[in-house]
Amino acid sequence: MNAENQRLRGMLSQVSSNYSALQMHLVALMQQQQNSTAHDGTQEREILDRKSQEKKEENGGATVQRQFLDLGPAREIDDLSNTSTEERTPSGSLTKKIGRVESPESDSCGPNKIPKLNPSKPVDQSTVATMKKARVSVRVRSEAPMISDGCQWRKYGQKMAKGNPCPRAYYRCTMAVGCPVRKQVQRCAEDKTILTTTYEGTHNHPLPPAAMAMASTTSAAASMLLSGSMPSADGLMNPNFLARTILPYSSNMATISASAPFPTVTLDLTHSPNPLQLQRVPPTQYQVPFPVPPQNFVSAPTSQMPQVFGQAMVNQSKFSGLQSSQNIEQIQPPQHHHSFADISAATAAITADPNFTAALAAAITSIMGGSRPDIGDTPNNNTSTSNKSSSFLEN
DNA sequence: CGCTTTTGACCTGCGC
DNA sequence: GCGCAGGTCAAAAGCG
């Protein structure tokens, strides 16, 4: 990591110097152009204009440079990590970060629309692509053909998947024209009471509270996967981010899959861990055992999913800035208002407990660090990683 | 009549 | 190049 950091610093300084040289060249060219086109201005006027132009260039340069710095992986993860901090208000760089992630997705929805991306930020292109590809899979015990997540879906296809007698259904979000979000629903071959729903994409429209939960979870997981996919990223932030944004809402397990073709986070919300499930997880996936939350953490749900993701909604809405809570209430009053309040309080209490978060971070990072060599850490760095993770949590 | 579901055809990526 | 599997399209059918 240090070597990687040094390398990135070197690259940054080189790019910065290149930029400075280019900027100076541009200023010189503009001065030259001014000299050739200014016919009736006095010399003093020219000097003033030149100074003003240089000042503009300086300001613009600083802006561009800051934008470039914002692309730094460490900063990206820093912001993502901070995003999960309860006290953080959804403003400033936080909003900018989330918005930067979300807006290209929205822009790409319209036909023939070119995403409003700064050409000097090529990383954003890959960011968009990764965010599109990132998936969040949810496993839940349900007899219903499809879990109710608050969104309106239209089925557009069904296929028989290999090795599974149950067909896989494909749904598309119909809450807004051109919404790119899709999901796949399939029953587990081993246990047909388990329903696996895989979400892909980010909504480009306001969402009702129940749908906000899933959307936020998807976005959070996608952000985490994005940071993990970057070679120089500090992958150890990812489990923290995951833990603080997603895991508290799962009952016992989350699985991160970096296997091709798409990075996937699997939230196992089946209350009783099935040994078959554990065996079925391929070695390329990273299991994160998670203690079952207190009994009152989920308050007697008649249908599990809306309540479970209601927690995600309440928590995430405090920091994500993806959708304002005002919009939520305007769209549709919460159907589980009492539960949301209880869950919100419980979530806040848990996430505000530094011991809990630190222990959680240590547990996850120790597992992740020992079984995920491609994420940028060695198996022997558990101690340092835990410390670093804790420091991030404290931030 | 408008929307959703069904379902076979088609497209695409990947492994051999 | 070929076959397979996953994913999507779109016309037909179903439904309220």
Side-chain angles (χ1 to χ4, degrees):
Chain A
M1 289 173 58
N2 287 334
E4 180 81 8
N5 196 13
Q6 290 296 327
R7 192 176 65 83
L8 287 171
R9 285 175 186 274
M11 290 173 61
L12 176 61
S13 61
Q14 184 177 356
V15 171
S16 297
S17 61
N18 287 346
Y19 171 76
S20 299
L22 196 59
Q23 183 182 357
M24 291 178 64
H25 186 60
L26 176 63
V27 171
L29 284 175
M30 294 187 74
Q31 287 178 352
Q32 190 177 351
Q33 190 177 12
Q34 272 190 345
N35 289 336
S36 62
T37 56
H39 297 294
D40 53 351
T42 63
Q43 195 167 357
E44 291 178 356
R45 173 74 175 271
E46 281 184 24
I47 292 174
L48 283 175
D49 287 344
R50 197 178 309 166
K51 283 185 177 178
S52 172
Q53 191 70 31
E54 287 177 4
K55 202 168 186 177
K56 280 184 183 176
E57 288 299 318
E58 283 178 8
N59 290 338
T63 301
V64 174
Q65 206 155 8
R66 202 175 303 120
Q67 287 173 347
F68 177 80
L69 287 172
D70 277 350
L71 293 176
R75 220 193 126 79
E76 174 83 18
I77 294 169
D78 191 5
D79 280 335
L80 287 175
S81 177
N82 286 339
T83 299
S84 62
T85 305
E86 288 277 326
E87 292 77 9
R88 187 77 173 262
T89 56
S91 61
S93 65
L94 175 60
T95 304
K96 187 177 70 175
K97 286 297 174 183
I98 298 297
R100 188 172 63 82
V101 167
E102 292 295 316
S103 56
E105 182 78 12
S106 304
D107 289 337
S108 67
C109 300
N112 302 326
K113 272 190 177 179
I114 300 175
K116 299 170 186 175
L117 296 172
N118 190 332
S120 66
K121 301 166 80 175
V123 175
D124 278 358
Q125 303 279 358
S126 62
T127 298
V128 173
T130 308
M131 292 294 285
K132 280 184 178 177
K133 297 299 181 184
R135 292 179 172 180
V136 177
S137 185
V138 177
R139 290 164 56 87
V140 61
R141 291 192 184 277
S142 173
E143 299 295 334
M146 192 173 74
I147 61 177
S148 60
D149 47 24
C151 272
Q152 296 175 358
W153 303 93
R154 176 181 175 177
K155 189 176 183 179
Y156 67 90
Q158 179 170 308
K159 283 289 259 189
M160 294 299 298
K162 190 183 179 184
N164 193 334
C166 304
R168 175 184 301 165
Y170 300 90
Y171 294 88
R172 181 177 288 145
C173 178
T174 60
M175 293 192 77
V177 179
C179 180
V181 177
R182 299 180 178 191
K183 75 172 181 179
Q184 303 173 8
V185 178
Q186 187 172 33
R187 293 210 169 274
C188 180
E190 287 83 357
D191 188 349
K192 291 187 171 55
T193 63
I194 295 178
L195 199 63
T196 301
T197 306
T198 303
Y199 294 85
E200 179 182 340
T202 307
H203 295 278
N204 64 349
H205 52 86
L207 293 169
M212 259 296 293
M214 182 58 73
S216 300
T217 304
T218 304
S219 177
S223 300
M224 180 209 66
L225 288 169
L226 170 65
S227 61
S229 67
M230 303 175 80
S232 58
D234 184 354
L236 298 169
M237 290 304 100
N238 301 334
N240 292 331
F241 185 66
L242 173 67
R244 301 196 65 188
T245 55
I246 301 173
L247 274 176
Y249 326 122
S250 66
S251 61
N252 47 30
M253 178 169 293
T255 304
I256 307 167
S257 171
S259 59
F262 308 119
T264 304
V265 169
T266 300
L267 305 180
D268 195 337
L269 299 175
T270 58
H271 273 282
S272 59
N274 185 351
L276 287 176
Q277 300 169 19
L278 303 182
Q279 292 169 2
R280 282 194 320 106
V281 177
T284 54
Q285 295 188 343
Y286 312 100
Q287 300 175 7
V288 183
F290 194 75
V292 176
Q295 289 297 321
N296 60 353
F297 197 71
V298 175
S299 54
T302 51
S303 67
Q304 184 184 358
M305 292 308 299
Q307 305 253 353
V308 168
F309 288 101
Q311 301 171 61
M313 186 277 293
V314 170
N315 192 25
Q316 184 94 4
S317 63
K318 292 181 178 178
F319 64 85
S320 70
L322 293 175
Q323 311 285 345
S324 72
S325 56
Q326 296 174 346
N327 288 340
I328 297 170
E329 293 179 359
Q330 286 170 357
I331 296 166
Q332 176 181 327
Q335 295 177 351
H336 307 282
H337 211 262
H338 181 66
S339 300
F340 282 173
D342 292 344
I343 292 164
S344 177
T347 304
I350 289 173
T351 54
D353 184 353
N355 293 332
F356 176 83
T357 51
L360 179 63
I364 293 173
T365 51
S366 64
I367 294 167
M368 300 289 287
S371 60
R372 191 170 184 184
D374 62 331
I375 206 163
D377 193 18
T378 59
N380 297 330
N381 273 351
N382 290 342
T383 304
S384 62
T385 59
S386 300
N387 292 337
K388 187 171 184 180
S389 303
S390 301
S391 67
F392 259 88
L393 290 171
E394 290 168 4
N395 290 336

